[in-house]
């Protein structure tokens, strides 16, 4: 299957916050991370180095005890979920990791090439959606 790099989606939990963190969604670290990633992607595009990733905010990724959390996915590629991300420190490292993800056919970046935050913060990896069964396989 040919995968268009434009199909890479980074889901960012905009509601992530540490225990006792701000109530207003726009003030939560997850929302700050979302905006930071969108701004950094725009800056890279303006600088002539666009990254083929689209950011989509979500309300929760069920990794609430490890804020902030994101999940990257694309057709035919493994999905990864990461936590423990800091919006003040990790935006560029996240994008560097996604650049490596974009270079792969299946989403699996060799361990030694992954950013440290992806090594330490990985929560789950989920296989690509399987191809439909053929009549012969049933
Ligand atoms: S609030 Fe972010 S994972 Fe649940």
């Amino acid at each position: 299957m040919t995968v268009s790099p434009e199909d890479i989606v980074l889901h960012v939990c905009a509601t992530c916050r540490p225990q006792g963190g701000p109530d207003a969604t726009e003030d939560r670290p997850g929302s700050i991370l979302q905006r930071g990633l969108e701004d950094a992607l725009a800056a890279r595009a303006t600088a002539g180095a666009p990254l083929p990733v689209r950011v989509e905010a979500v309300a929760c990724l069920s990794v609430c005890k490890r804020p902030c959390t994101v999940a990257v996915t694309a057709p035919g590629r493994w999905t990864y979920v990461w936590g423990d991300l800091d919006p003040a420190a990790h935006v560029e490292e996240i994008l560097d990791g996604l650049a490596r993800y974009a270079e792969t056919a299946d989403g699996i970046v060799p361990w030694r090439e992954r950013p440290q935050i992806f090594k330490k913060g990985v929560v789950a990896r989920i296989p690509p959606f399987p191809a439909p069964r053929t009549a012969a396989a049933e």
Side-chain angles (χ1 to χ4, degrees):
M1 173 199 308
T2 302
V3 177
S4 166
E6 288 75 24
D7 291 336
I8 297 172
V9 176
L10 181 68
H11 297 285
V12 181
C13 175
T15 54
C16 264
R17 62 177 173 169
Q19 193 167 20
D23 285 330
T25 300
E26 65 272 12
D27 296 333
R28 294 185 181 197
S31 185
I32 294 168
L33 178 62
Q34 174 208 340
R35 294 193 300 270
L37 288 163
E38 290 170 339
D39 290 348
L41 281 168
R44 286 187 184 212
T46 300
L51 194 58
V53 174
R54 185 174 86 234
V55 171
E56 296 283 346
V58 295
C60 183
L61 291 167
S62 289
V63 194
C64 314
K65 292 186 177 177
R66 295 181 62 183
C68 295
T69 59
V70 301
V72 65
T73 191
R77 297 185 193 190
W78 285 73
T79 294
Y80 283 85
V81 180
W82 295 289
D84 307 323
L85 300 170
D86 180 346
H90 295 151
V91 168
E92 291 300 326
E93 201 172 346
I94 292 168
L95 295 186
D96 290 345
L98 295 179
R100 292 292 298 117
Y101 182 88
E103 293 169 356
T104 68
D106 58 6
I108 300 175
V109 177
W111 181 260
R112 67 185 174 284
E113 297 176 22
R114 296 177 193 175
Q116 199 61 29
I117 55 169
F118 285 0
K119 292 178 183 174
K120 293 171 81 172
V122 69
V123 173
R125 71 178 198 150
I126 299 146
F129 192 81
R133 291 182 182 197
T134 62
E138 293 178 359

